Amino acid sequence: MALTYYHAEPLANSLKSMIPLVEKGLEWESRYVDLHRFEQHSDWFKAINPEGQVPVLVHDGLIVTHTTVINEYLEDAFPEANPADGPLRPRDPAGAARMRYWNKFVDEQVMNHVSMHGWHRLIRVITQSIADDSFEELMSHVPLPDQRRKWMTARSGFSETDLANATEKIVYALEKVEARLGEAPWLAGEAYSLADINFYSHCGVMANRMFPDLQVDETYPRLAAWRERVSDRPAVQLALKAEDRTQPGLRTWSGDGREA
């Protein structure tokens, strides 16, 4: 078995599939892709993923992209490798359906709205520091038209209308998750699952810091307690400590989640 995970910093999508790798105790090689240097659009990386996006999992030569697909693939490829408290995908049909419902909700109704705020605050600063001709050259290497437009919009800044709409959608998501956690301890039911990892990676881990005006911890106490339970998991703590690299790097993580 050879597993290689190409990723950026342990946030959002890169964190979302890193956590299951560590939770399942798999041995895998870590390859850091520096988004600040646009390595995801370089020829060497687009030879791995023509869409020019991280993360990417390579398993014995098979290339798997998109985090929800990666995480389900890991459950199918390594069904017996699980945390001590059970599999990351419920084994019963109802639980699996709930997990997939919440994954779909996060992927379609949460991720892009949180991402817009992140790009407006962080990526805008990066893009504005690049000269016009250099920026145009960089954009010529972005393979996905929608992603290219996102980079160009970030350079000028997203509109206040779009940001307000994104905030409204985030508030709706926080309210929805708060209500769900009043019904069950985890999003898919009685057990921690890929759905919790998904929401945590894209919103739960950073909502209180990104949106201080929303007073997340005070307004959504069940969500805040849930976030601490996820954060306290040893695998999550290890994933969050993954080092950044300034060059494409290689590390091997042993089966117990430690760097080998």
Side-chain angles (χ1 to χ4, degrees):
M1 176 195 75
L3 280 172
T4 303
Y5 185 56
Y6 293 83
H7 63 91
E9 288 77 11
L11 293 170
N13 278 316
S14 287
L15 178 64
K16 176 181 165 181
S17 288
M18 187 180 293
I19 290 175
L21 284 164
V22 183
E23 287 276 19
K24 292 175 77 67
L26 300 172
E27 184 172 313
W28 52 283
E29 292 179 349
S30 167
R31 291 271 187 176
Y32 177 71
V33 180
D34 194 336
L35 305 187
H36 299 280
R37 296 188 177 189
F38 296 87
E39 286 180 348
Q40 72 275 30
H41 303 146
S42 64
D43 290 341
W44 74 265
F45 184 75
K46 286 192 292 185
I48 300 167
N49 182 10
E51 292 184 345
Q53 293 186 299
V54 294
V56 175
L57 180 75
V58 180
H59 179 209
D60 290 338
L62 174 68
I63 295 171
V64 187
T65 63
H66 296 272
T67 50
T68 295
V69 179
I70 291 172
N71 290 358
E72 289 253 18
Y73 176 82
L74 289 171
E75 290 301 295
D76 291 331
F78 306 99
E80 303 307 318
N82 294 303
D85 53 350
L88 297 175
R89 181 175 62 196
R91 296 285 171 81
D92 64 295
R98 286 192 296 268
M99 182 209 75
R100 291 186 174 112
Y101 167 82
W102 282 102
N103 274 341
K104 184 177 176 65
F105 175 74
V106 175
D107 290 351
E108 296 181 356
Q109 304 296 327
V110 178
M111 177 180 66
N112 287 334
H113 302 301
V114 176
S115 175
M116 180 185 292
H117 277 277
W119 278 60
H120 183 72
R121 300 176 195 185
L122 302 175
I123 302 300
R124 182 175 55 151
V125 175
I126 295 171
T127 58
Q128 288 180 344
S129 67
I130 302 170
D132 290 347
D133 55 346
S134 297
F135 185 72
E136 290 179 7
E137 167 64 17
L138 288 168
M139 291 301 98
S140 71
H141 296 284
V142 181
L144 296 178
D146 283 349
Q147 198 70 4
R148 192 181 312 123
R149 281 190 288 270
K150 188 175 180 181
W151 277 100
M152 296 175 73
T153 302
R155 184 169 167 85
S156 58
F158 294 89
S159 72
E160 291 301 319
T161 300
D162 287 342
L163 290 168
N165 176 66
T167 301
E168 182 179 312
K169 297 293 179 59
I170 291 164
V171 169
Y172 173 74
L174 295 173
E175 292 173 347
K176 186 178 179 72
V177 170
E178 179 74 6
R180 173 58 180 159
L181 294 173
E183 301 168 345
W186 304 100
L187 291 180
E190 296 302 312
Y192 169 75
S193 75
L194 296 176
D196 299 289
I197 293 170
N198 193 352
F199 187 74
Y200 178 86
S201 300
H202 284 293
C203 189
V205 70
M206 65 185 78
N208 59 329
R209 299 196 302 270
M210 281 190 71
F211 308 103
D213 292 346
L214 298 181
Q215 297 182 309
V216 171
D217 286 3
E218 294 79 11
T219 309
Y220 311 103
R222 287 189 289 262
L223 188 152
W226 165 89
R227 183 194 66 228
E228 294 309 307
R229 282 187 284 129
V230 178
S231 296
D232 286 344
R233 294 182 68 89
V236 174
Q237 293 180 16
L238 283 168
L240 287 170
K241 292 178 182 178
E243 296 178 3
D244 299 345
R245 294 293 178 111
T246 57
Q247 298 290 338
L250 172 64
R251 293 184 298 157
T252 299
W253 288 67
S254 63
D256 59 5
R258 294 178 301 178
E259 186 176 348

